[in-house]
């Protein structure tokens, strides 16, 4: 009887497992078929949404575009992401596109960084030379959106007092947490090499350091001066008049009529009237996102230049979804892809990073130094600390005037909560044999001996950092480098004078310089290399992607199409 019951039990368990597996299989099959069906429907819908004939290019829904992306990944909530390089290519293509007669910029939903505006300004000047009308419209104008508006022939705001126009100088606010942390017994030991290495100072200081304040004032004053010059040049207003009115608050909290009278804007029109007058309709307009998908480069040349995109913090941890962290591992993957390209002539690295792990930066630096093809670096918004470490391995470095670089120094932050334990009457007993074993233990205070030993290690890293920089930066010597190192941050225009970089320019200036040095006579193709996100199997993909459908209010076909393409890319 006992054996019979065991047999029945095993049979039932086996049956339940099979039934469960069947339902899992059916569910996955249903999801897959639904996605495939969605792709075909989405393809038809997308084709119908993009007009076959268009005369207006709409620039909107852009928020400081990144340099890198997961080309085979998904953006679940915000929609498909586009990179700055893709935007640049699209605008560049529009210059000679006879279909495009008007470029419309929605200032309320478009944000570029100052270096990005610098980089695309020549393209907008070429659009104007081709007699293409550029109109910028905004219901809210601040320094950021107005800087973009200055790219246009005409700036339009609504004729209502609800329009928010607030132009001025600059204001910087930083919170310092030491006092509140003290109340909880939390202490941050921040050990840094470099007088101006300010990372983490908000955790161990009550207020801003003299060095950090000097740095911020220097950088923001230069940016403000450029902003004033741009307004004066584009709006044809005397420069001193702009400076005085801007700093005296005469451009702040003003009405649309006042803005027009002060020559800051051109006309007052509601959006519906403006779009009617410009003949902007769904049938004759294309968004820059859709336009990018229509733009394709001619890659038929035998000569190839690879562009590797690096964006984010430098870390040893693999990138998580939506964050393209820079690691030595993912850089090697990209580098291997570049080296597999037939007839590879050179590599351009486009980097945008404020730094991070010194070890990962060193690993990437070493990989670049071993390359047998020329390597140029194009700095995006910033390449500081570890970002500059990587850049210094290049044969040539390019940066825009108001990009940021430098910050050559080393810093480490060690949290300690000994005070918290004391407040809670918690005793921690340690049994150790040997020195320096508890430096990173948050329940143990640093001794002076610990601090000196730790500082010596950071000094060694700092010296290696500087020595590596001097290998390719032949215009510098140990003394001149030390004077501009110390964690100091520099604008691109300053960095060129200090010989930290070679040229002022953007990504395509960098590529053009490389192909000229290679004597390719403009006969070359660009191969873009972005990040990839790999999974072991289809189950991993479904577990990490399909589950996030709950974040969508409704399923849209663009979303489904993107999923299927992602799965296909996983082979």
């Amino acid at each position: 009887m006992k054996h019979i019951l065991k047999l029945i039990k095993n049979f039932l368990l086996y049956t339940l497992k099979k039934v469960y597996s069947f339902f899992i299989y059916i569910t996955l099959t249903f999801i897959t078929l639904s996605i495939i069906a969605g792709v075909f429907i989405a393809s038809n819908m997308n084709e119908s949404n993009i007009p076959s004939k268009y005369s207006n290019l709409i620039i909107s829904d852009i928020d400081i575009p990144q340099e890198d992306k997961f080309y085979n990944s998904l953006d679940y909530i915000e929609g498909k992401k586009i990179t700055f390089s893709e935007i640049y290519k699209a605008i560049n293509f529009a210059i000679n596109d006879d279909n495009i007669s008007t470029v419309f910029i929605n200032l309320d939903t478009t944000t570029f960084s100052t270096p990005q505006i610098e980089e695309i300004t020549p393209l907008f000047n070429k659009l104007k030379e081709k007699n293409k009308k550029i109109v910028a419209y905004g219901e809210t104008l601040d320094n950021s959106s107005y800087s973009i508006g200055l790219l246009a022939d005409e700036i339009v705001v609504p004729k209502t007092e609800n329009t928010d126009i607030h132009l001025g100088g600059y204001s910087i606010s930083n919170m310092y947490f030491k006092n509140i942390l003290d109340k909880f017994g939390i202490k941050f030991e921040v050990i840094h090499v470099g007088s101006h290495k300010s990372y983490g100072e908000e955790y161990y200081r009550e207020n801003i350091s003299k060095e950090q304040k000097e740095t911020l004032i220097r950088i923001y004053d230069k940016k403000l001066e450029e902003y004033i010059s741009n307004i004066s040049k584009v709006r044809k207003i005397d420069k001193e008049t702009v400076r005085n009115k801007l700093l005296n608050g005469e451009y702040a909290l003003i009405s649309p009529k006042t803005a027009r009278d002060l020559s800051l804007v051109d006309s007052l029109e509601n959006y519906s009237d403006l779009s009617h007058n410009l003949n902007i309709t769904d049938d004759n307009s294309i968004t820059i996102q859709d336009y990018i998908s229509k733009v394709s480069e001619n890659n038929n040349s035998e000569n190839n230049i690879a562009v590797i995109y690096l964006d984010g913090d430098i870390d040893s941890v693999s990138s998580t979804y939506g964050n393209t962290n820079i690691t030595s591992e993912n850089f090697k993957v990209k580098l291997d892809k570049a080296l597999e390209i037939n007839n590879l002539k050179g590599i351009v690295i486009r980097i945008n990073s404020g730094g991070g792990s010194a070890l990962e930066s060193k690993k990437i630096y070493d990989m670049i130094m071993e390359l047998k093809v020329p390597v140029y670096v194009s700095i995006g918004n910033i390449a500081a600390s570890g970002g500059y470490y990587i850049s210094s391995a290049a044969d040539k470095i390019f940066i825009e005037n108001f990009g940021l670089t430098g910050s050559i120094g080393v810093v480490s932050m060690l949290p300690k909560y000994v005070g918290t334990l004391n407040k809670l009457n918690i005793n921690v007993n340690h049994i150790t044999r040997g020195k320096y074993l508890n430096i990173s233990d948050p329940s143990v205070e640093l001794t002076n001996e610990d601090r000196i030993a730790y500082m010596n290690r950071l000094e060694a890293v700092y010296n290696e950092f500087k020595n590596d920089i001097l290998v390719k930066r032949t215009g510098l010597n140990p003394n001149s480098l030390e004077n501009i190192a110390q964690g100091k941050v520099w604008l691109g225009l300053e960095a060129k004078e200090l010989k930290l970089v070679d040229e002022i320019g953007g990504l395509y200036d960098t590529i053009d310089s490389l192909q000229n040095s290679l004597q390719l006579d403009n006969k070359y193709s660009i191969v873009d290399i972005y990040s990839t996100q790999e999974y072991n199997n289809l189950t991993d993909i479904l577990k990490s992607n399909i589950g996030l459908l709950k974040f969508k209010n409704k399923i849209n076909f663009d979303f489904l199409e993107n999923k299927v393409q992602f799965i296909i890319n996983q082979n």
Side-chain angles (χ1 to χ4, degrees):
M1 185 66 180
K2 184 179 178 181
H3 293 291
I4 296 174
L5 289 174
K6 186 176 180 181
L7 182 63
I8 293 172
K9 179 184 175 183
N10 290 338
F11 174 76
L12 289 173
L13 286 174
Y14 174 80
T15 304
L16 285 172
K17 286 180 182 178
K18 284 297 181 183
V19 170
Y20 176 76
S21 300
F22 173 75
F23 277 108
I24 291 293
Y25 175 79
I26 289 296
T27 301
L28 292 176
T29 302
F30 174 76
I31 291 171
T32 305
L33 291 175
S34 297
I35 292 173
I36 293 170
V39 170
F40 288 111
I41 300 172
S43 299
N44 293 329
M45 289 182 67
N46 288 337
E47 288 175 4
S48 62
N49 287 337
I50 300 176
S52 56
K53 293 184 179 180
Y54 49 84
S55 56
N56 306 308
L57 176 62
I58 310 299
I59 299 177
S60 65
D61 300 313
I62 295 171
D63 184 14
I64 307 187
Q66 297 178 334
E67 301 294 344
D68 195 11
K69 66 176 182 178
F70 290 123
Y71 88 95
N72 63 337
S73 191
L74 312 169
D75 196 344
Y76 310 109
I77 301 169
E78 299 174 10
K80 296 178 180 177
K81 283 187 179 177
I82 54 177
T83 66
F84 178 72
S85 176
E86 290 171 326
I87 293 170
Y88 185 100
K89 290 174 190 174
I91 297 172
N92 189 47
F93 191 83
I95 294 170
N96 296 310
D97 186 346
D98 293 334
N99 293 313
I100 300 291
S101 60
T102 302
V103 177
F104 179 85
I105 309 173
N106 185 336
L107 298 179
D108 296 319
T109 64
T110 302
T111 310
F112 290 109
S113 68
T114 301
Q116 288 172 342
I117 293 173
E118 279 189 272
E119 204 159 342
I120 60 176
T121 294
L123 300 184
F124 278 87
N125 291 336
K126 290 179 182 178
L127 286 168
K128 293 172 185 176
E129 291 170 5
K130 291 284 188 174
N131 295 317
K132 297 180 189 290
K133 187 177 183 64
I134 306 171
V135 179
Y137 173 87
E139 297 173 358
T140 300
L141 291 185
D142 56 18
N143 286 5
S144 176
S145 60
Y146 193 66
S147 294
I148 300 170
L150 294 174
L151 296 170
D153 300 301
E154 185 178 353
I155 302 175
V156 183
V157 296
K159 53 181 178 181
T160 170
E161 293 301 323
N162 289 303
T163 302
D164 185 9
I165 302 174
H166 192 88
L167 309 180
Y170 63 81
S171 176
I172 310 166
S173 298
N174 291 314
M175 288 187 179
Y176 284 75
F177 303 101
K178 181 181 183 300
N179 290 337
I180 187 67
L181 292 173
D182 286 346
K183 291 181 183 297
F184 291 96
I186 300 172
K187 179 181 180 181
F188 280 87
E189 291 278 2
V190 180
I191 303 173
H192 56 82
V193 181
S195 59
H196 288 67
K197 198 70 175 176
S198 62
Y199 176 80
E201 75 169 28
E202 63 270 32
Y203 297 107
Y204 71 92
R205 290 184 57 90
E206 296 179 5
N207 45 45
I208 192 169
S209 65
K210 171 175 162 284
E211 293 81 8
Q212 175 70 343
K213 186 174 182 179
E214 289 174 351
T215 297
L216 291 175
I217 290 174
R218 170 174 55 81
I219 289 172
Y220 279 86
D221 275 353
K222 288 182 184 294
K223 283 188 173 185
L224 178 61
E225 189 61 27
E226 180 68 11
Y227 179 48
I228 290 169
S229 297
N230 284 342
I231 294 174
S232 172
K233 179 181 176 182
V234 175
R235 303 305 303 176
K236 296 179 173 55
I237 310 171
D238 176 69
K239 188 174 180 179
E240 285 307 309
T241 299
V242 173
R243 178 182 287 104
N244 291 334
K245 289 185 180 295
L246 195 73
L247 298 180
N248 289 332
E250 295 180 54
Y251 289 165
L253 301 172
I254 57 177
S255 69
K257 186 177 182 301
T258 301
R260 183 186 60 190
D261 294 343
L262 290 171
S263 300
L264 294 173
V265 303
D266 296 284
S267 60
L268 315 180
E269 287 184 88
N270 294 326
Y271 177 76
S272 57
D273 296 329
L274 176 63
S275 57
H276 175 75
N277 293 336
L278 294 175
N279 191 29
I280 295 177
T281 67
D282 292 339
D283 295 332
N284 66 3
S285 303
I286 185 168
T287 66
I288 193 163
Q289 288 82 358
D290 287 334
Y291 193 63
I292 285 170
S293 67
K294 294 178 73 72
V295 173
S296 59
E297 289 185 305
N298 181 7
N299 287 324
N300 296 323
S301 174
E302 291 182 356
N303 304 313
N304 289 303
I305 293 175
V307 180
I308 296 175
Y309 296 90
L310 301 178
D311 195 322
D313 295 332
I314 302 169
D315 205 326
S316 59
V317 179
S318 297
S319 302
T320 55
Y321 177 78
N323 297 306
T324 54
N325 293 340
I326 302 169
T327 70
S328 59
E329 182 181 356
N330 69 27
F331 177 76
K332 186 177 186 308
V333 170
K334 293 176 180 178
L335 187 58
D336 288 343
K337 287 182 180 178
L339 297 176
E340 290 171 0
I341 296 170
N342 291 330
N343 210 20
L344 177 70
K345 296 298 184 181
I347 295 173
V348 170
I349 298 173
R350 173 70 164 192
I351 185 166
N352 183 52
S353 176
S357 167
L359 177 59
E360 292 295 300
S361 303
K362 169 63 173 172
K363 288 179 180 179
I364 296 171
Y365 171 94
D366 288 341
M367 281 187 262
I368 296 171
M369 292 294 290
E370 292 173 1
L371 292 173
K372 305 302 181 186
V373 295
V375 178
Y376 283 18
V377 158
S378 168
I379 295 174
N381 300 322
I382 183 172
S385 195
Y388 183 74
Y389 201 155
I390 293 170
S391 303
S392 68
D395 300 299
K396 215 168 190 181
I397 304 174
F398 282 68
I399 190 174
E400 289 290 358
N401 283 302
F402 291 92
L404 294 172
T405 192
S407 191
I408 300 166
V410 183
V411 63
S412 183
M413 190 158 63
L414 304 171
K416 300 290 183 179
Y417 53 73
V418 178
T420 307
L421 296 172
N422 291 336
K423 287 175 182 289
L424 298 173
N425 291 319
I426 297 174
N427 295 322
V428 180
N429 291 284
H430 298 90
I431 301 174
T432 59
R433 184 183 294 274
K435 286 186 176 183
Y436 314 128
L437 299 176
N438 295 322
I439 287 178
S440 300
D441 189 332
S443 67
V444 179
E445 291 276 16
L446 279 186
T447 66
N448 286 334
E449 191 176 5
D450 289 337
R451 193 173 286 105
I452 290 170
Y454 202 84
M455 174 65 84
N456 288 338
R457 288 303 308 132
L458 295 188
E459 287 276 6
V461 174
Y462 178 55
N463 289 330
E464 182 179 54
F465 189 171
K466 291 187 295 180
N467 290 335
D468 283 343
I469 289 171
L470 291 172
V471 174
K472 288 278 183 81
R473 301 286 94 206
T474 54
L476 296 168
N477 59 56
N479 290 331
S480 63
L481 178 57
E482 179 63 15
N483 289 333
I484 60 178
Q486 291 291 324
K488 297 174 185 176
V489 179
W490 304 102
L491 290 167
L493 53 90
E494 298 169 323
K496 185 176 186 300
E497 292 181 3
L498 297 171
K499 299 182 180 179
L500 284 172
V501 303
D502 299 286
E503 299 291 344
I504 299 297
L507 174 59
Y508 287 87
D509 296 314
T510 310
I511 295 170
D512 190 52
S513 176
L514 177 57
Q515 71 91 17
N516 280 332
S517 69
L518 293 168
Q519 299 181 332
L520 301 182
D521 196 27
N522 289 313
K523 296 174 182 176
Y524 65 95
S525 298
I526 298 171
V527 182
D528 293 319
I529 301 177
Y530 295 107
S531 290
T532 59
Q533 185 160 313
E534 304 294 343
Y535 287 95
N536 294 324
N537 51 51
L538 181 60
T539 303
D540 286 348
I541 297 168
L542 293 171
K543 281 169 65 178
S544 70
N545 295 310
I546 300 297
L548 290 170
L549 278 168
K550 63 184 179 183
F551 290 111
K552 306 289 282 186
N553 293 325
K554 59 182 180 179
I555 296 175
N556 63 63
F557 294 113
D558 250 4
F559 180 58
L560 291 173
E561 177 190 14
N562 214 355
K563 279 189 179 300
V564 170
Q565 187 57 55
F566 176 76
I567 291 172
I568 290 170
N569 287 337
Q570 305 307 314
N571 297 320

